Amino acid sequence: MTQKNLLEVDWSQIPAPLDDGDAAHLKGLTLPAISLLATDDTSVNLSALPGRTVVFAYPRTGEPGKISLVDDWDMIPGARGCTPQTCAFRDLFAELKAAGAAQVFGLSTQSNDYQTEMASRLHLPFPVLSDEKLALTRALRLPTMDVAGLTLIKRLALIIDDAEIAHVFYPVFPPDRNAGDVLDWLKANPARS
């Protein structure tokens, strides 16, 4: 199936993911010291970042006009919507920062080269981290799905305060509302000083 428009999605036609409990262990965990390559050519160790960090993870973004990973991608609960989720975080970036997010990152298991193209195409004001080697995914036991021989992170968002996971959004549906939900949570839960 060719992906014509990655942003226009009728969510009523897409199966919603269910809470399988695979993220229940995350709240309260301290992040391990793992460095990930970012689309701004830096190496980011989330455990070393002071203050409040927002990380939203997704399976993989597509490219307009390219063939999707598998023909039934849209019917895999939680698969469709990576670009709308990412663009929503882009569009609310200034508000997220104003609400206390010291930094915002996207995260997937796609390669840094692929993500760098996507970040440029979508004009992202924040870096996207590549966990292509699954180091952070495995260390935190993030929820994953296997599609076409690839291990992909299931869609979620983490609020991290000084290396400790303070809140987890999981499952996330519809994806384009995740940034707004995160913003509402940040406003209702100011970072401790």
Side-chain angles (χ1 to χ4, degrees), residues 119-190:
S120 174
R121 175 172 30 94
L122 298 179
H123 308 286
L124 301 183
F126 52 80
V128 178
L129 306 175
S130 172
D131 192 15
E132 187 175 18
K133 296 185 185 336
L134 305 174
L136 185 67
T137 300
R138 288 186 177 133
L140 289 177
R141 297 185 344 266
L142 294 177
T144 60
M145 60 176 137
D146 292 317
V147 180
L150 301 172
T151 299
L152 308 175
I153 303 170
K154 290 183 180 178
R155 188 177 323 284
L156 58 85
L158 305 173
I159 309 297
I160 303 163
D161 287 333
D162 297 314
E164 182 180 309
I165 299 173
H167 192 74
V168 180
F169 293 85
Y170 180 84
V172 169
F173 192 83
D176 60 347
R177 293 195 197 140
N178 185 219
D181 293 341
V182 168
L183 179 59
D184 290 344
W185 190 92
L186 292 175
K187 289 177 177 178
N189 300 275

Side-chain angles (χ1 to χ4, degrees), residues 88-111:
F89 275 93
R90 175 198 65 200
D91 296 345
L92 290 177
F93 178 71
E95 291 174 67
L96 292 163
K97 297 281 283 184
Q103 46 269 322
V104 175
F105 297 98
L107 171 70
S108 83
T109 59
Q110 289 173 283
S111 73

Side-chain angles (χ1 to χ4, degrees), residues 22-60:
D22 286 355
H25 67 284
L26 292 171
K27 186 174 179 182
L29 284 185
T30 299
L31 271 75
I34 294 173
S35 293
L36 300 174
L37 194 55
T39 52
D40 62 0
D41 291 326
T42 62
S43 183
V44 175
N45 177 351
L46 294 169
S47 72
L49 299 177
R52 179 161 277 176
T53 301
V54 173
V55 176
F56 67 96
Y58 53 85
R60 63 184 289 115

